[in-house]
Amino acid sequence: PPPPTPPPAVSIMAHCGGGGSARTGVSNSIAVTVKEQIGADDYSVRRIRVDTGDQIGVGVAIYRRHDGRGDARMLAAVGDEARLYAIPLEGSKVDLPDDEKEDA
């Protein structure tokens, strides 16, 4: 049989920022950029903003299944907690709330 078709290329980058708990007026969030291959030479880019409330994120780790199936996951250190988020990929059944979507 022929070898399995590899999953489309996906790149995900995330960073944390904000004013912390100092009430500076700068909101605390995690910014996520997802670049996915949707054709031979065609890519989509999406930006997602995750509000972290009055706590600032201090680190993120992003992972995905080794076989490339399913959504990605992001583990974030926020304040004194570890939070787990789903990062929807092309064809995902996860729908983000409108306030977490940003236009690319």
Side-chain angles (χ1 to χ4, degrees), residues 27-88:
S27 62
N28 299 309
S29 65
I30 302 170
V32 182
T33 301
V34 180
K35 181 179 177 183
E36 295 182 80
Q37 184 177 14
I38 56 175
D41 294 316
D42 195 16
Y43 293 85
S44 71
V45 177
R46 292 180 296 121
R47 291 183 174 83
I48 304 165
R49 182 185 165 278
V50 179
D51 186 341
T52 59
D54 64 351
Q55 297 293 315
I56 193 165
V58 294
V60 295
I62 299 170
Y63 63 96
R64 192 168 179 212
R65 290 172 49 133
H66 292 290
D67 62 7
R69 295 184 299 136
D71 296 325
R73 298 287 184 259
M74 177 175 66
L75 185 62
V78 179
D80 61 354
E81 300 177 336
R83 299 181 186 176
L84 182 63
Y85 299 94
I87 301 175

